[in-house]
Structures are given as structure tokens and as C-alpha cells.
Coordinates of all heavy atoms in Angstrom, one line a residue:
M1 N 116.3 104.3 95.9 CA 115.3 104.6 97.0 C 114.6 103.3 97.3 O 114.0 102.6 96.4 CB 114.4 105.7 96.6 CG 113.3 105.9 97.6 SD 112.2 107.3 97.2 CE 111.4 106.8 95.6
R2 N 114.5 102.9 98.5 CA 113.8 101.7 98.9 C 112.3 102.1 99.2 O 112.1 103.2 99.8 CB 114.4 101.1 100.1 CG 115.8 100.5 99.8 CD 116.3 99.6 100.9 NE 115.6 98.3 101.0 CZ 115.8 97.3 100.1 NH1 116.6 97.4 99.2 NH2 115.1 96.2 100.3
L3 N 111.4 101.2 98.8 CA 110.0 101.5 99.1 C 109.5 100.4 100.1 O 110.0 99.3 100.1 CB 109.2 101.4 97.8 CG 109.6 102.4 96.8 CD1 108.9 102.1 95.4 CD2 109.2 103.8 97.2
V4 N 108.6 100.7 100.9 CA 108.0 99.8 101.8 C 106.5 100.0 101.8 O 106.0 101.1 101.7 CB 108.6 99.9 103.2 CG1 108.3 101.3 103.8 CG2 108.1 98.8 104.1
G5 N 105.7 98.8 101.9 CA 104.3 98.9 101.9 C 103.8 97.8 102.8 O 104.4 96.8 103.0
D6 N 102.6 98.1 103.4 CA 102.0 97.1 104.3 C 101.2 96.0 103.5 O 100.5 96.4 102.6 CB 101.0 97.8 105.3 CG 101.7 98.8 106.2 OD1 102.9 98.6 106.5 OD2 101.1 99.8 106.6
V7 N 101.4 94.8 103.9 CA 100.6 93.7 103.3 C 99.3 93.5 104.1 O 99.3 93.0 105.2 CB 101.4 92.4 103.3 CG1 100.6 91.2 102.7 CG2 102.7 92.6 102.5
K8 N 98.2 94.0 103.5 CA 96.9 94.1 104.2 C 95.9 93.2 103.6 O 95.8 93.0 102.3 CB 96.4 95.5 104.2 CG 95.3 95.8 105.2 CD 95.1 97.3 105.3 CE 94.1 97.5 106.4 NZ 93.9 99.0 106.6
C9 N 95.0 92.6 104.4 CA 94.0 91.6 103.9 C 92.8 92.4 103.4 O 92.3 93.3 104.0 CB 93.6 90.7 105.1 SG 92.4 89.5 104.6
Y10 N 92.3 91.9 102.2 CA 91.0 92.4 101.7 C 89.8 92.1 102.6 O 88.9 92.8 102.6 CB 90.8 91.9 100.3 CG 91.4 92.7 99.2 CD1 92.4 92.1 98.4 CD2 90.9 93.9 98.8 CE1 93.0 92.8 97.4 CE2 91.5 94.7 97.8 CZ 92.5 94.1 97.1 OH 93.1 94.8 96.0
H11 N 89.9 90.9 103.2 CA 88.7 90.5 103.9 C 88.7 91.0 105.4 O 87.6 91.5 105.8 CB 88.7 88.9 104.0 CG 88.4 88.3 102.6 ND1 88.5 87.0 102.4 CD2 88.1 88.9 101.4 CE1 88.2 86.7 101.2 NE2 88.0 87.9 100.5
C12 N 89.8 90.9 106.1 CA 89.7 91.2 107.5 C 90.5 92.5 107.9 O 90.5 92.9 109.0 CB 90.1 90.0 108.4 SG 91.8 89.7 108.4
G13 N 91.3 93.0 107.0 CA 92.1 94.2 107.3 C 93.4 94.0 108.1 O 94.1 94.9 108.4
H14 N 93.7 92.7 108.4 CA 94.9 92.4 109.1 C 96.1 92.7 108.3 O 96.2 92.4 107.1 CB 94.8 90.9 109.5 CG 96.0 90.5 110.3 ND1 96.3 90.9 111.6 CD2 97.0 89.6 110.0 CE1 97.4 90.3 112.0 NE2 97.9 89.6 111.0
V15 N 97.1 93.3 109.0 CA 98.4 93.5 108.3 C 99.4 92.4 108.7 O 99.8 92.3 109.9 CB 99.0 94.9 108.7 CG1 100.4 95.1 108.1 CG2 98.1 96.0 108.2
S16 N 99.7 91.5 107.8 CA 100.6 90.4 108.0 C 102.1 90.8 108.1 O 102.9 90.1 108.7 CB 100.4 89.3 106.9 OG 99.1 88.8 106.9
G17 N 102.4 91.9 107.4 CA 103.8 92.3 107.4 C 104.0 93.4 106.4 O 103.1 94.1 106.0
Q18 N 105.2 93.4 105.8 CA 105.5 94.5 104.9 C 106.3 93.9 103.7 O 107.0 92.8 103.9 CB 106.4 95.6 105.5 CG 105.6 96.3 106.6 CD 106.4 97.4 107.2 OE1 107.6 97.2 107.4 NE2 105.8 98.5 107.5
I19 N 106.3 94.6 102.6 CA 107.2 94.2 101.5 C 108.1 95.4 101.3 O 107.6 96.6 101.2 CB 106.4 93.9 100.2 CG1 105.8 92.5 100.4 CG2 107.2 94.0 99.0 CD1 105.1 92.0 99.2
E20 N 109.4 95.2 101.3 CA 110.3 96.3 101.1 C 111.3 95.9 100.0 O 111.9 94.8 100.0 CB 111.1 96.5 102.4 CG 112.0 97.7 102.3 CD 112.7 98.0 103.7 OE1 112.1 97.7 104.7 OE2 113.9 98.4 103.7
A21 N 111.5 96.8 99.0 CA 112.4 96.6 97.9 C 112.5 97.9 97.2 O 111.8 98.9 97.4 CB 111.8 95.5 97.0
T22 N 113.5 97.9 96.2 CA 113.6 99.0 95.3 C 112.7 98.8 94.1 O 112.3 97.7 93.9 CB 115.0 99.2 94.8 OG1 115.4 98.1 94.1 CG2 116.0 99.4 96.0
R23 N 112.4 99.8 93.3 CA 111.6 99.6 92.1 C 112.3 98.7 91.2 O 111.7 97.9 90.5 CB 111.4 101.0 91.4 CG 110.4 101.8 92.1 CD 110.0 103.0 91.2 NE 109.2 104.0 92.0 CZ 107.9 103.8 92.3 NH1 107.2 102.8 91.9 NH2 107.3 104.8 93.0
E24 N 113.7 98.7 91.1 CA 114.4 97.9 90.2 C 114.3 96.4 90.6 O 114.2 95.5 89.8 CB 115.9 98.3 90.2 CG 116.2 99.6 89.6 CD 115.8 100.8 90.5 OE1 115.8 100.6 91.7 OE2 115.4 101.8 89.9
E25 N 114.3 96.1 91.9 CA 114.2 94.8 92.4 C 112.7 94.3 92.2 O 112.5 93.1 92.0 CB 114.4 94.7 93.9 CG 115.9 94.9 94.3 CD 116.1 95.1 95.8 OE1 115.1 95.3 96.5 OE2 117.2 95.2 96.2
G26 N 111.8 95.2 92.3 CA 110.4 94.8 92.1 C 109.8 94.4 93.5 O 110.5 93.8 94.3
L27 N 108.6 94.8 93.7 CA 107.9 94.5 95.0 C 107.3 93.1 94.9 O 106.2 92.9 94.4 CB 106.9 95.6 95.3 CG 107.4 96.9 95.5 CD1 106.4 98.0 95.5 CD2 108.2 97.0 96.9
E28 N 108.1 92.1 95.3 CA 107.7 90.7 95.1 C 107.6 90.0 96.4 O 108.0 90.5 97.4 CB 108.7 90.0 94.2 CG 108.8 90.6 92.8 CD 109.9 89.9 92.0 OE1 110.7 89.1 92.5 OE2 109.9 90.2 90.7
V29 N 107.0 88.8 96.3 CA 106.7 88.0 97.5 C 108.0 87.7 98.2 O 108.1 87.6 99.5 CB 106.0 86.7 97.1 CG1 106.1 85.6 98.1 CG2 104.6 87.0 96.7
Q30 N 109.1 87.6 97.5 CA 110.4 87.2 98.1 C 110.9 88.3 99.1 O 111.7 88.1 100.0 CB 111.5 87.0 97.1 CG 111.3 85.7 96.3 CD 110.5 85.9 95.0 OE1 109.6 86.8 95.0 NE2 110.8 85.1 94.0
S31 N 110.4 89.5 98.9 CA 110.9 90.6 99.8 C 109.9 90.9 100.9 O 109.9 91.9 101.5 CB 111.1 91.9 98.9 OG 110.0 92.2 98.1
F32 N 109.0 89.9 101.2 CA 108.0 90.0 102.3 C 108.8 89.9 103.6 O 109.6 89.0 103.8 CB 107.0 88.8 102.1 CG 106.1 88.8 103.3 CD1 105.2 89.8 103.6 CD2 106.1 87.6 104.1 CE1 104.3 89.7 104.7 CE2 105.2 87.5 105.2 CZ 104.3 88.6 105.5
K33 N 108.5 90.8 104.5 CA 109.0 90.8 105.9 C 107.8 90.7 106.8 O 107.1 91.6 107.0 CB 109.8 92.1 106.2 CG 111.0 92.3 105.3 CD 111.8 93.5 105.7 CE 113.1 93.6 105.0 NZ 113.9 94.7 105.3
P34 N 107.7 89.5 107.4 CA 106.6 89.2 108.3 C 106.6 90.2 109.5 O 107.7 90.6 110.0 CB 106.8 87.8 108.8 CG 107.8 87.2 107.9 CD 108.6 88.3 107.3
R35 N 105.5 90.5 110.1 CA 105.4 91.3 111.3 C 106.0 90.6 112.4 O 106.1 89.3 112.4 CB 104.0 91.7 111.6 CG 103.1 90.6 112.0 CD 101.7 91.0 112.4 NE 101.0 89.8 112.8 CZ 101.1 89.2 114.1 NH1 101.8 89.7 115.0 NH2 100.4 88.1 114.3
D36 N 106.3 91.2 113.6 CA 106.7 90.5 114.8 C 105.6 89.6 115.2 O 104.5 90.0 115.3 CB 107.1 91.6 115.9 CG 108.4 92.3 115.6 OD1 109.2 91.8 114.8 OD2 108.5 93.4 116.2
G37 N 106.0 88.4 115.5 CA 105.0 87.4 116.0 C 104.2 86.8 114.9 O 103.2 86.1 115.2
Y38 N 104.6 86.9 113.7 CA 103.9 86.3 112.5 C 103.8 84.8 112.7 O 104.8 84.1 113.0 CB 104.7 86.7 111.2 CG 104.1 86.1 110.0 CD1 103.0 86.8 109.4 CD2 104.7 85.0 109.3 CE1 102.5 86.3 108.2 CE2 104.2 84.5 108.1 CZ 103.1 85.2 107.6 OH 102.6 84.7 106.4
K39 N 102.6 84.3 112.5 CA 102.4 82.8 112.6 C 102.0 82.1 111.3 O 101.8 80.9 111.3 CB 101.3 82.6 113.7 CG 101.7 83.0 115.1 CD 100.7 82.7 116.1 CE 101.1 83.1 117.5 NZ 100.8 84.5 117.8
G40 N 101.9 82.9 110.3 CA 101.5 82.3 109.0 C 102.7 81.6 108.3 O 103.8 81.6 108.8
K41 N 102.4 81.1 107.1 CA 103.4 80.5 106.3 C 104.2 81.5 105.5 O 103.5 82.4 104.9 CB 102.7 79.5 105.4 CG 103.6 78.7 104.5 CD 102.8 77.7 103.7 CE 103.6 77.1 102.6 NZ 103.1 77.5 101.2
K42 N 105.5 81.4 105.5 CA 106.3 82.3 104.6 C 106.2 81.8 103.2 O 106.5 80.7 103.0 CB 107.7 82.5 105.1 CG 108.4 83.6 104.4 CD 109.5 84.1 105.2 CE 110.1 85.3 104.5 NZ 111.3 85.9 105.0
P43 N 105.7 82.7 102.3 CA 105.5 82.2 100.9 C 106.9 81.9 100.2 O 107.8 82.7 100.4 CB 104.8 83.3 100.2 CG 105.1 84.5 101.0 CD 105.4 84.1 102.4
A44 N 106.9 80.9 99.4 CA 108.0 80.6 98.6 C 107.9 81.3 97.3 O 106.8 81.9 97.0 CB 108.1 79.1 98.3
A45 N 109.0 81.3 96.5 CA 109.0 82.0 95.2 C 107.9 81.4 94.3 O 107.7 80.2 94.2 CB 110.3 81.9 94.5
G46 N 107.1 82.3 93.7 CA 106.0 81.8 92.8 C 104.7 81.6 93.6 O 103.6 81.5 92.9
E47 N 104.7 81.6 94.9 CA 103.5 81.4 95.6 C 102.8 82.7 95.9 O 103.5 83.7 95.9 CB 103.7 80.7 97.0 CG 104.0 79.2 96.9 CD 104.1 78.6 98.3 OE1 104.4 79.3 99.3 OE2 103.8 77.4 98.4
K48 N 101.5 82.7 96.1 CA 100.8 83.9 96.4 C 100.8 84.1 97.9 O 100.8 83.2 98.7 CB 99.3 83.8 96.0 CG 99.1 83.9 94.5 CD 97.7 84.0 94.1 CE 97.6 84.3 92.6 NZ 96.2 84.4 92.2
L49 N 100.9 85.4 98.3 CA 100.9 85.8 99.7 C 99.5 85.9 100.1 O 98.6 86.4 99.5 CB 101.6 87.1 99.8 CG 102.0 87.7 101.2 CD1 102.8 86.7 101.9 CD2 102.8 89.0 101.0
R50 N 99.2 85.2 101.3 CA 97.8 85.2 101.8 C 97.8 85.8 103.2 O 98.8 85.9 103.9 CB 97.2 83.8 101.9 CG 97.3 83.0 100.6 CD 96.5 83.6 99.5 NE 95.1 83.5 99.7 CZ 94.1 83.6 98.8 NH1 94.4 83.8 97.6 NH2 92.9 83.5 99.2
C51 N 96.6 86.2 103.7 CA 96.5 86.7 105.0 C 96.9 85.7 106.1 O 96.5 84.5 106.0 CB 95.1 87.2 105.2 SG 94.7 87.8 106.9
E52 N 97.7 86.1 107.0 CA 98.1 85.3 108.1 C 96.9 84.8 108.9 O 96.9 83.7 109.4 CB 99.1 86.1 109.0 CG 99.4 85.5 110.3 CD 100.1 86.5 111.2 OE1 100.1 87.7 110.9 OE2 100.6 86.1 112.2
R53 N 95.9 85.7 109.1 CA 94.8 85.4 110.0 C 93.7 84.5 109.4 O 93.2 83.6 109.9 CB 94.3 86.7 110.6 CG 93.3 86.5 111.7 CD 93.1 87.7 112.6 NE 92.6 88.8 111.8 CZ 92.5 90.1 112.3 NH1 92.9 90.3 113.6 NH2 92.0 91.0 111.6
C54 N 93.3 85.0 108.2 CA 92.1 84.3 107.6 C 92.4 83.7 106.2 O 91.5 83.2 105.6 CB 91.0 85.3 107.5 SG 91.2 86.5 106.1
T55 N 93.6 83.7 105.8 CA 94.1 83.2 104.4 C 93.4 83.9 103.3 O 93.3 83.4 102.2 CB 94.0 81.7 104.3 OG1 92.6 81.3 104.3 CG2 94.7 81.0 105.4
G56 N 92.9 85.1 103.5 CA 92.2 85.9 102.5 C 93.3 86.5 101.5 O 94.5 86.5 101.8
P57 N 92.8 87.1 100.4 CA 93.7 87.8 99.5 C 94.2 89.1 100.1 O 93.6 89.7 100.9 CB 92.9 88.0 98.3 CG 91.5 88.1 98.8 CD 91.4 87.1 100.0
V58 N 95.4 89.4 99.8 CA 96.1 90.6 100.3 C 96.4 91.7 99.3 O 96.5 91.3 98.1 CB 97.3 90.3 101.1 CG1 97.0 89.4 102.3 CG2 98.4 89.6 100.2
F59 N 96.6 92.9 99.7 CA 97.0 94.0 98.8 C 98.1 94.8 99.5 O 98.3 94.7 100.7 CB 95.9 94.8 98.3 CG 95.2 95.6 99.4 CD1 95.5 96.9 99.7 CD2 94.3 95.0 100.3 CE1 94.9 97.7 100.7 CE2 93.6 95.7 101.3 CZ 94.0 97.1 101.5
L60 N 98.8 95.6 98.7 CA 99.9 96.4 99.3 C 99.3 97.8 99.6 O 98.8 98.5 98.6 CB 101.0 96.5 98.3 CG 102.4 96.8 98.8 CD1 102.8 95.8 99.9 CD2 103.4 96.7 97.6
E61 N 99.4 98.2 100.8 CA 98.8 99.5 101.2 C 99.9 100.4 101.7 O 100.9 100.0 102.2 CB 97.8 99.3 102.3 CG 97.0 100.6 102.7 CD 96.1 100.4 103.9 OE1 96.6 100.2 105.0 OE2 94.9 100.5 103.7
D62 N 99.6 101.7 101.5 CA 100.5 102.8 102.1 C 101.9 102.6 101.6 O 102.9 102.6 102.4 CB 100.4 102.8 103.6 CG 101.0 104.0 104.2 OD1 101.1 105.0 103.5 OD2 101.4 103.9 105.4
L63 N 102.1 102.5 100.3 CA 103.5 102.4 99.7 C 104.2 103.7 99.9 O 103.7 104.8 99.6 CB 103.4 102.0 98.2 CG 104.7 101.6 97.6 CD1 105.2 100.4 98.2 CD2 104.5 101.4 96.1
R64 N 105.4 103.6 100.5 CA 106.1 104.8 100.9 C 107.6 104.6 100.9 O 108.0 103.4 100.8 CB 105.7 105.3 102.3 CG 106.0 104.2 103.4 CD 105.1 104.4 104.6 NE 105.4 103.3 105.6 CZ 104.8 102.1 105.7 NH1 103.9 101.8 104.8 NH2 105.1 101.3 106.6
E65 N 108.3 105.7 101.0 CA 109.8 105.5 101.0 C 110.2 104.9 102.4 O 109.7 105.3 103.4 CB 110.4 106.9 100.9 CG 111.9 106.9 100.7 CD 112.4 108.3 100.4 OE1 111.7 109.2 99.9 OE2 113.6 108.5 100.7
A66 N 111.1 103.9 102.3 CA 111.5 103.2 103.5 C 112.4 104.1 104.3 O 113.2 104.9 103.8 CB 112.2 101.9 103.1
P67 N 112.3 104.0 105.7 CA 113.1 104.8 106.5 C 114.6 104.3 106.3 O 114.9 103.2 106.1 CB 112.6 104.5 107.9 CG 111.8 103.2 107.8 CD 111.3 103.1 106.4
L68 N 115.5 105.3 106.5 CA 116.9 105.0 106.3 C 117.4 104.1 107.4 O 116.9 104.2 108.6 CB 117.7 106.3 106.3 CG 117.4 107.2 105.1 CD1 118.2 108.5 105.3 CD2 117.8 106.5 103.8
E69 N 118.3 103.2 107.1 CA 118.9 102.3 108.2 C 119.9 103.2 108.9 O 120.5 104.0 108.4 CB 119.5 101.1 107.5 CG 118.5 100.2 106.9 CD 119.2 99.0 106.2 OE1 120.3 98.7 106.6 OE2 118.5 98.4 105.4
P70 N 120.0 102.9 110.2 CA 121.0 103.6 111.0 C 122.4 103.4 110.5 O 122.8 102.4 110.0 CB 120.9 103.0 112.4 CG 119.9 101.9 112.3 CD 119.3 101.9 111.0
L71 N 123.2 104.5 110.5 CA 124.5 104.4 110.0 C 125.4 103.7 111.0 O 125.3 103.8 112.2 CB 125.1 105.9 109.8 CG 124.5 106.7 108.8 CD1 125.0 108.1 108.8 CD2 124.7 106.1 107.4
A72 N 126.3 102.9 110.4 CA 127.3 102.2 111.2 C 128.5 103.2 111.4 O 129.0 103.7 110.5 CB 127.8 101.0 110.5
I73 N 128.8 103.5 112.7 CA 129.8 104.5 113.0 C 131.0 103.8 113.6 O 130.8 103.0 114.5 CB 129.2 105.5 114.0 CG1 128.1 106.3 113.3 CG2 130.3 106.5 114.4 CD1 127.4 107.2 114.2
D74 N 132.1 104.1 113.1 CA 133.4 103.6 113.7 C 133.8 104.5 114.8 O 134.3 105.6 114.6 CB 134.5 103.5 112.6 CG 135.8 103.0 113.1 OD1 135.9 102.8 114.3 OD2 136.6 102.6 112.3
L75 N 133.5 104.1 116.1 CA 133.7 105.0 117.2 C 135.2 105.4 117.3 O 135.5 106.6 117.7 CB 133.2 104.4 118.5 CG 131.7 104.3 118.6 CD1 131.3 103.6 119.9 CD2 131.1 105.7 118.6
A76 N 136.1 104.5 117.1 CA 137.5 104.8 117.3 C 137.9 105.9 116.3 O 138.6 106.8 116.6 CB 138.4 103.5 117.0
A77 N 137.5 105.8 115.0 CA 137.8 106.8 114.0 C 137.1 108.1 114.4 O 137.7 109.2 114.2 CB 137.3 106.3 112.6
A78 N 135.9 108.1 114.9 CA 135.2 109.3 115.3 C 135.9 110.0 116.4 O 136.0 111.3 116.4 CB 133.8 109.0 115.7
R79 N 136.5 109.3 117.4 CA 137.2 109.9 118.5 C 138.5 110.6 118.0 O 138.8 111.6 118.5 CB 137.6 108.8 119.5 CG 136.4 108.4 120.4 CD 136.8 107.6 121.5 NE 135.6 107.0 122.2 CZ 135.2 105.7 122.1 NH1 136.0 104.9 121.4 NH2 134.1 105.3 122.6
K80 N 139.1 110.0 117.0 CA 140.4 110.6 116.5 C 140.0 111.9 115.8 O 140.8 112.9 115.9 CB 141.0 109.6 115.5 CG 141.8 108.5 116.1 CD 142.4 107.6 115.0 CE 143.0 106.4 115.6 NZ 143.4 105.4 114.6
L81 N 138.9 111.9 115.2 CA 138.5 113.2 114.5 C 138.2 114.3 115.5 O 138.4 115.5 115.2 CB 137.3 112.9 113.6 CG 137.6 112.1 112.3 CD1 136.3 111.8 111.6 CD2 138.5 112.7 111.4
R82 N 137.6 113.9 116.6 CA 137.2 114.9 117.6 C 138.3 115.4 118.5 O 138.1 116.4 119.2 CB 136.0 114.4 118.4 CG 134.8 114.3 117.6 CD 133.6 113.9 118.4 NE 133.8 113.9 119.8 CZ 133.0 113.3 120.7 NH1 131.9 112.7 120.3 NH2 133.2 113.4 122.0
R83 N 139.4 114.6 118.6 CA 140.4 114.9 119.6 C 141.1 116.2 119.2 O 141.6 116.4 118.1 CB 141.4 113.8 119.6 CG 142.5 114.0 120.7 CD 143.4 112.8 120.8 NE 142.6 111.6 121.2 CZ 142.8 110.3 120.9 NH1 143.9 110.1 120.1 NH2 142.1 109.4 121.3
P84 N 141.1 117.2 120.2 CA 141.7 118.5 119.9 C 143.2 118.3 119.8 O 143.8 117.5 120.5 CB 141.3 119.4 121.1 CG 140.9 118.4 122.2 CD 140.5 117.1 121.5
K85 N 143.8 119.1 118.9 CA 145.2 119.1 118.8 C 145.9 119.9 119.9 O 145.5 121.0 120.2 CB 145.6 119.6 117.4 CG 145.2 118.7 116.3 CD 145.5 119.3 114.9 CE 145.0 118.4 113.9 NZ 145.2 118.9 112.5
R86 N 146.9 119.3 120.5 CA 147.6 119.9 121.6 C 148.7 120.8 121.1 O 149.3 120.6 120.1 CB 148.1 118.9 122.6 CG 147.1 118.1 123.2 CD 147.6 117.0 124.1 NE 146.5 116.2 124.5 CZ 146.5 115.5 125.6 NH1 147.6 115.4 126.3 NH2 145.4 114.8 125.9
G87 N 149.0 121.8 121.9 CA 150.1 122.7 121.6 C 149.8 123.9 120.7 O 150.6 124.7 120.4
K88 N 148.5 123.9 120.2 CA 148.1 125.0 119.3 C 147.1 125.8 120.1 O 146.0 125.4 120.3 CB 147.5 124.5 118.0 CG 148.6 123.9 117.1 CD 147.9 123.6 115.8 CE 149.0 123.0 114.8 NZ 148.4 122.6 113.6
A89 N 147.4 127.0 120.4 CA 146.5 127.9 121.1 C 145.5 128.5 120.1 O 146.0 128.9 119.0 CB 147.2 129.0 121.9
A90 N 144.3 128.6 120.4 CA 143.3 129.1 119.4 C 143.3 130.6 119.5 O 143.5 131.2 120.5 CB 142.0 128.5 119.7
Ligands
ZN1 ZN1 92.5 88.3 106.7

């Protein structure tokens, strides 16, 4: 199960992005996903994550199960499965 949480600033409340990982991977700075339009510095391994807007300290808020990624569907295979068989009356 993947978990996701918002990276929120203690000082100004700004959400710089999210951290998404499994419990086994650990919720670490390397799994930081900046929000759209993020203008801050992406932290390197071992660095602390800071607020994009005011460089204040951040915390992880609203830790929850990550939404499932959309399934990749092979349309050609799906059409073959749906095609009715001819010559057999129901
Ligand atoms: Zn801030």
C-alpha cells in the first residue's frame, strides 16, 4: 500500500508538495513530489525539506492511502475478448 501526505509549512501553512512512498521504502525526502508550479529547491539526499515560500520547517499532514494509478489497458486484447463469436445462436 502506497501512502501519500502533504508537505506543509509550520510557519505559513503553504503546501509545497507531497511525499509518496510505501512504509517499507520510508517516507523520505527522496520521495518528495513538488506541487505543480513548484519554484523551490528540490532537496538532495540528506538535506532537509523546507517550505518553498518562506523556507520554514515543514511537516507531513493528512497521511493517507495513495490513489490507485490508472490501469494500462491493451485495447487490442480487450476487443478480442469482447468480440462475439459468430455462428453460435444464443
Ligand atoms: Zn512557509
Side-chain angles (χ1 to χ4, degrees):
M1 176 175 63
R2 294 191 72 75
L3 300 171
V4 63
D6 296 333
V7 175
K8 192 168 189 178
C9 179
Y10 271 113
H11 291 174
C12 72
H14 178 71
V15 176
S16 299
Q18 297 179 321
I19 285 186
E20 183 176 328
T22 63
R23 285 194 191 279
E24 293 74 30
E25 291 167 352
L27 295 165
E28 296 178 350
V29 164
Q30 290 90 330
S31 50
F32 173 64
K33 293 184 175 180
R35 67 172 182 85
D36 286 341
Y38 180 79
K39 294 184 178 86
K41 179 178 167 245
K42 189 153 186 186
E47 282 187 336
K48 285 189 176 179
L49 193 54
R50 307 296 293 197
C51 174
E52 163 193 17
R53 189 158 66 186
C54 74
T55 66
V58 294
F59 65 99
L60 203 54
E61 185 185 67
D62 193 21
L63 191 62
R64 59 201 180 271
E65 191 172 333
L68 295 175
E69 293 181 17
L71 293 174
I73 297 173
D74 182 347
L75 288 177
R79 284 189 191 109
K80 283 180 188 172
L81 290 174
R82 288 185 11 194
R83 185 172 295 149
K85 293 180 181 175
R86 294 177 186 201
K88 288 186 179 178

